[in-house]
Amino acid sequence: MPQNAYRTRTRRRGMSSIKVILALPAVIMLAWLGLEFALVLPLLVLAMLAVVQVALLVRDHLAVVQAAREAVREASVDPDPERAVAAARRVLPDAVVRVGARSVAGGPVEVEVRYRAVTDVPMVGMLFPDPDLHARAVMRAER
């Protein structure tokens, strides 16, 4: 391409000068935009999928907390620990539930729920390790 194919003008601002391209052919501009789009699009898709994966992990964490609350509520009104485990598994079927020893009425009852969240969103699931989520809830025994 010849040296004078583009007309340029130099503006002075302070200590630096800025060259402004006045007449860039439309074909070159479209090609440049297409190249930028092709380079940035995969990064944007990966970023969006990572946001989806993080949102799914937050959802799983909230489910673990809710399962612990449901289980401790059930354990506070019923001395049978299997009912507390069943209450937690209604919320989160694959959860591992541990019900602490129950003391007299008015004493604390503790429930711990553990869950291994699976990160399986395509292309970004392998970037996130499968986290172990856990929640603990304590409530006063009613009976």
Side-chain angles (χ1 to χ4, degrees):
M1 216 180 232
Q3 180 75 12
N4 56 6
Y6 307 108
R7 295 179 306 160
T8 61
R9 177 175 56 180
T10 304
R11 292 184 185 168
R12 295 265 179 205
R13 287 194 182 169
M15 301 289 280
S16 65
S17 63
I18 302 171
K19 284 195 169 190
V20 179
I21 299 177
L22 297 176
L24 195 60
V27 173
I28 294 175
M29 284 295 286
L30 288 175
W32 184 255
L33 289 174
L35 177 67
E36 285 180 352
F37 182 71
L39 290 174
V40 171
L41 183 65
L43 296 174
L44 288 176
V45 169
L46 281 175
M48 288 174 38
L49 288 173
V51 167
V52 168
Q53 183 64 67
V54 169
L56 291 174
L57 289 175
V58 168
R59 179 204 61 182
D60 287 345
H61 178 69
L62 292 174
V64 168
V65 170
Q66 184 62 29
R69 289 178 182 166
E70 292 286 331
V72 79
R73 175 69 185 139
E74 190 67 35
S76 72
V77 296
D78 191 352
D80 184 18
E82 289 303 315
R83 299 226 10 201
V85 171
R89 291 206 173 130
R90 278 194 300 270
V91 176
L92 199 59
D94 297 331
V96 176
V97 182
R98 184 187 66 78
V99 179
R102 184 182 168 97
S103 61
V104 298
V109 177
E110 179 181 340
V111 173
E112 184 176 3
V113 177
R114 292 188 172 277
Y115 178 72
R116 184 168 193 97
V118 179
T119 56
D120 57 356
V121 171
M123 293 191 285
V124 296
M126 63 186 137
L127 299 176
F128 293 94
D130 291 348
D132 287 325
L133 305 174
H134 65 277
R136 185 176 145 253
V138 179
M139 186 178 265
R140 185 177 306 189
E142 292 183 11
R143 295 186 217 165

